[in-house]
Amino acid sequence: MNKEPILQVRDVTKAFGGILALNRVSFDLYEGDILGIIGPNGSGKTTLVNSITGFIKLTSGKVMFRGKDITGRPAHKIADMGITRTFQIMRPYYSMLAYKNLVIPLFSPRAKRTGGWRGGGKLGDRDTVSIDILEEIGFERDSYVPYKLASTLPTGYLKRLELARCLALKPEMILCDEVFSGLSMSEIASMIPLIERLQMSGITLIMIEHRLRELFKVANRVMVLNFGEKLIEGLPEEVIADARVKEAYFGSEEAKEVMDHA
Amino acid sequence: MEQRRKERIDRGVKVRSDSIYALMSWRELSYLTVPRLLLIIGMLILPLVVTSMYWQRVISIVCIYALLALSFDFLAHYTGLVSLGGAFFIGVGGYLTAIFNTTFGLPPLVSIPLATVFGAIICTVLLLPCLPLRGVYFAIVTLMYPLVFARIIEAMDILGGTDGIMGIDSFSNRWIEQYLVIIVVLLLLFGLRRLVNLDLGLIFRAVKDNDQAVRASGMSITNYKALAVLIASGMGCLGGACIVHIYMWTGLSLFALDFSILPIAATVIGGAGTLVGPVLGCLILVPISELLREFGTLRIVFYSIILVGFIVFRSEGIMVYGQRKYHQFERWIKV
Ligand SMILES: Nc1ncnc2c1ncn2[C@@H]1O[C@H](COP(=O)(O)OP(=O)(O)O)[C@@H](O)[C@H]1O
Ligand SMILES: [Mg+2]
């Protein structure tokens, strides 16, 4: 269907001192897909997000976005191209009100160019647009929540705020680093339709998750990282069926459970 | 045992003043404007009521320090860059205006704005490599700049060397001198307060709060830090340019540590992050410091003691305390 991948990652390697956090990782991502990335703690998932989005410099390897080499570009330039990311450890502006947190990305050159969020035409009043985005992402519009200090928001809202910051830029890709972790089952359930909506609107997603059952529900493809190396990549069913994955990551109990539900 | 807790509640007049009612009632209107008018009128009548020549000069010096303190407060509390470069800004602005005035024969009212603009650009370009540094590292580097410049001028014997540059024009009379610096301080104070509440000011605060999130939002933190440094160093250079025309002399003492340290002490005393506080801090500290002039450089010990005292005992500063008392009342409640 798609000829050229939106994102090509080639032999990406990152060494921290002697530790190889990423070792020659390569994969392609096609427009509109959701790629799930799983792997035990310390397997290099966050490092991969940092590498693609320019938050760290690669030791070697290449990252291409729509056929253009973006390796080594500064993080804000990459975000400006539409490759956005959330932070595993949430990074809101704690001293500001929740909706003011979104005025900042709406001030960016990209938001001004694209019209922000829904795109098309003029950006409009930033405060109003912020509240619109917050509503889209699951903040109750007429409640007091958008007007609370970010430092007083519970984890669930802060995770949504991370996604909202990406949306404000009208992104082409969102790299989600564990947006479900720390959330309750019902909170996750309420976010899945949102993820599906984002995919429907044409946004390509990478989702790093530990909650396999939920991840396998939304992901088109899954990649497994282990000790910085790509173990396997394929359709969710293929990944679950792979013996190495069962051994290295799932543990027999959980794998069985996931298989039953996938 | 029964426990009690102090509770703070916004005054009714404050709550009403936050809304549209403020425009409809004298009480609310004056609640909002009286503190501002007090400061403005107070500053404007100072030159009229102070008769001694010596203390008239002190008023001007207060304003120079107020510019530095404003610049420090803005950089530290709205963009997260703790700068000890006050002396550097003063020195660059001072030497530039001296050159414009003596070499090119420009009158003070032309050379001061020129020194402000070019000084701000020079300081920003020179500080550009340090912008990625954070916290105490940025502070240390900015402290080195004035020392380095003073030593270069001394060692290479340029720009008048240790003698400095003399024969600089003064202002045509004391009224121009004093009202110029006072009005500049007031304009910049209210201008900065306006700026930090604009969307641009929000970005500055975002850079302080969480620079990685700003990068993830597609904005260069270096650009915004540079813009903040440009504004702050411009204010310092303006102060330096004024002081040179006041004393009709420029020299190595423009790079003195006082210009870096006193504004910080004034900010701590006045209330960090309020912008008004640092100006008040200077109005208190600079005259006291003048009274202690006979102790020479021992005055630094005095600032240090005040600084330590305030940090240890009442760290919030006069303005923060005052604003709280003005806007809220306290009562004891049973828990
Ligand atoms: N800034 C850093 N400096 C040194 N080592 C790091 C740094 N960031 C990550 N690492 C190391 O790289 C490895 C991968 O980490 P990370 O990408 O955070 O894993 P994951 O997100 O999969 O849990 C870990 O061993 C971690 O200790
Ligand atoms: Mg991680």
Side-chain angles (χ1 to χ4, degrees):
Chain A
M1 182 175 68
N2 295 301
K3 301 136 274 158
E4 201 192 22
I6 186 170
L7 187 77
Q8 290 166 287
V9 175
R10 289 286 168 271
D11 291 326
V12 162
T13 303
K14 176 69 193 180
F16 290 111
I19 307 166
L20 268 184
L22 286 176
N23 189 7
R24 299 173 64 89
V25 173
S26 303
F27 65 90
D28 285 347
L29 183 58
Y30 289 89
E31 190 152 7
D33 273 1
I34 296 184
L35 171 71
I37 299 183
I38 57 177
N41 276 329
S43 57
K45 304 179 298 295
T46 300
T47 307
L48 183 61
V49 171
N50 285 338
S51 311
I52 296 172
T53 51
F55 277 80
I56 55 174
K57 294 262 170 283
L58 295 183
T59 308
S60 66
K62 232 161 85 167
V63 181
M64 318 252 281
F65 176 66
R66 294 198 187 286
K68 222 189 301 171
D69 192 349
I70 58 165
T71 323
R73 293 204 189 178
H76 70 272
K77 289 267 171 61
I78 292 180
D80 192 68
M81 300 174 80
I83 308 176
T84 58
R85 54 100 39 104
T86 70
F87 291 96
Q88 180 177 356
I89 300 158
M90 294 87 77
R91 290 182 167 278
Y93 307 108
Y94 281 112
S95 70
M96 299 180 197
L97 304 180
Y99 81 98
K100 284 285 181 193
N101 267 260
L102 294 184
V103 171
I104 287 134
L106 287 173
F107 199 81
S108 68
R110 181 176 172 86
K112 284 177 191 160
R113 217 169 46 237
T114 58
W117 187 42
R118 291 231 159 101
K122 265 181 64 82
L123 183 57
D125 174 49
R126 291 196 184 86
D127 288 356
T128 320
V129 179
S130 310
I131 306 257
D132 285 347
I133 301 174
L134 285 180
E135 188 183 27
E136 170 79 16
I137 209 99
F139 281 58
E140 300 80 5
R141 186 183 192 97
D142 292 319
S143 70
Y144 55 91
V145 189
Y147 306 96
K148 280 179 78 162
L149 263 184
S151 55
T152 63
L153 291 179
T155 312
Y157 283 106
L158 289 178
K159 292 276 182 185
R160 288 166 194 270
L161 205 52
E162 285 286 317
L163 267 178
R165 187 183 58 231
C166 300
L167 282 190
L169 291 180
K170 187 160 178 54
E172 303 200 27
M173 289 184 57
I174 305 180
L175 282 64
C176 305
D177 197 352
E178 303 198 13
V179 279
F180 289 167
S181 56
L183 301 194
S184 70
M185 281 303 188
S186 63
E187 280 176 313
I188 294 176
S190 74
M191 275 181 80
I192 285 182
L194 170 70
I195 302 286
E196 286 168 345
R197 246 187 353 262
L198 295 181
Q199 186 185 20
M200 294 277 283
S201 69
I203 299 174
T204 311
L205 287 132
I206 291 182
M207 296 199 62
I208 294 175
E209 285 309 333
H210 286 300
R211 302 296 266 274
L212 302 180
R213 197 183 306 167
E214 287 78 8
L215 180 66
F216 280 56
K217 241 185 258 172
V218 289
N220 304 84
R221 293 185 73 76
V222 175
M223 178 167 100
V224 185
L225 282 181
N226 197 23
F227 292 113
E229 295 189 25
K230 180 165 118 177
L231 208 58
I232 180 181
E233 183 202 339
L235 299 172
E237 320 66 280
E238 293 170 0
V239 171
I240 293 168
D242 193 279
R244 286 173 302 167
V245 177
K246 279 184 201 164
E247 215 176 295
Y249 184 58
F250 293 131
S252 53
E253 277 306 300
E254 202 182 352
K256 196 167 165 297
E257 194 192 345
V258 172
M259 256 191 291
D260 293 344
H261 288 86
Chain B
M1 207 183 82
E2 179 179 271
Q3 289 219 320
R4 295 203 312 161
R5 179 169 71 86
K6 216 186 223 173
E7 184 184 54
R8 294 199 184 109
I9 298 169
D10 278 359
R11 291 181 199 280
V13 60
K14 154 130 176 53
V15 177
R16 287 195 302 278
S17 305
D18 286 342
S19 73
I20 191 77
Y21 291 114
L23 303 174
M24 300 196 290
S25 124
W26 279 110
R27 204 168 118 77
E28 272 83 43
L29 208 58
S30 53
Y31 175 81
L32 287 178
T33 51
V34 162
R36 269 157 245 215
L37 285 177
L38 268 181
L39 178 76
I40 295 172
I41 294 169
M43 295 273 289
L44 287 178
I45 59 170
L46 267 182
L48 301 172
V49 294
V50 175
T51 47
S52 122
M53 285 262 286
Y54 177 78
W55 287 100
Q56 283 166 358
R57 179 56 42 89
V58 173
I59 297 172
S60 305
I61 306 303
V62 166
C63 291
I64 307 294
Y65 276 109
L67 285 176
L68 286 174
L70 269 175
S71 137
F72 172 82
D73 197 31
F74 168 68
L75 262 193
H77 297 101
Y78 291 91
T79 48
L81 291 169
V82 179
S83 153
L84 295 178
F88 177 51
F89 303 153
I90 288 278
V92 171
Y95 270 94
L96 277 180
T97 200
I99 295 166
F100 288 139
N101 184 242
T102 55
T103 312
F104 300 106
L106 300 173
L109 292 183
V110 178
S111 65
I112 290 176
L114 281 181
T116 305
V117 173
F118 285 103
I121 295 171
I122 292 172
C123 292
T124 309
V125 169
L126 289 173
L127 284 172
L128 227 43
C130 317
L131 291 184
L133 299 177
R134 285 168 207 221
V136 68
Y137 298 101
F138 184 79
I140 291 170
V141 173
T142 49
L143 188 61
M144 303 309 292
Y145 272 87
L147 302 180
V148 169
F149 267 68
R151 291 298 88 77
I152 289 176
I153 290 173
E154 192 180 332
M156 297 178 61
D157 203 19
I158 45 171
L159 300 171
T162 42
D163 296 334
I165 301 174
M166 273 162 281
I168 296 167
D169 290 340
S170 67
F171 294 99
S172 25
N173 60 55
R174 80 164 180 101
W175 299 107
I176 294 189
E177 169 192 318
Q178 285 175 341
Y179 278 105
L180 178 78
V181 287
I182 287 175
I183 289 170
V184 157
V185 166
L186 288 174
L187 282 180
L188 283 171
L189 167 62
F190 289 103
L192 272 185
R193 274 174 57 129
R194 186 77 210 283
L195 173 76
V196 298
N197 286 316
L198 294 177
D199 279 356
L200 179 62
L202 203 65
I203 310 294
F204 285 140
R205 272 172 49 205
V207 170
K208 181 194 178 194
D209 233 22
N210 206 327
D211 54 352
Q212 297 303 308
V214 176
R215 294 172 76 201
S217 306
M219 285 180 285
S220 157
I221 44 177
T222 314
N223 288 358
Y224 283 100
K225 283 183 180 174
L227 181 58
V229 168
L230 188 77
I231 294 170
S233 59
M235 291 168 60
C237 290
L238 175 59
C242 290
I243 207 168
V244 161
H245 288 288
I246 291 171
Y247 283 127
M248 301 190 286
W249 175 81
T250 184
L252 292 180
S253 61
L254 286 188
F255 291 111
L257 201 55
D258 297 47
F259 291 119
S260 295
I261 303 298
L262 192 138
I264 301 176
T267 303
V268 171
I269 290 173
T274 58
L275 296 176
V276 185
V279 174
L280 287 183
C282 288
L283 278 165
I284 298 169
L285 260 195
V286 177
I288 298 180
S289 156
E290 283 302 320
L291 291 173
L292 297 174
R293 184 161 280 279
E294 56 186 293
F295 295 105
T297 45
L298 265 182
R299 286 183 294 167
I300 296 260
V301 174
F302 156 75
Y303 311 145
S304 312
I305 290 174
I306 292 196
L307 204 57
V308 170
F310 258 82
I311 289 171
V312 171
F313 294 111
R314 187 173 274 300
S315 55
E316 60 181 8
I318 295 169
M319 262 320 278
V320 181
Y321 179 80
Q323 277 174 345
R324 205 182 61 228
K325 289 285 173 205
Y326 191 65
H327 291 314
Q328 298 174 320
F329 61 86
E330 288 170 347
R331 67 176 182 201
W332 289 98
I333 53 165
K334 296 196 183 92
V335 200

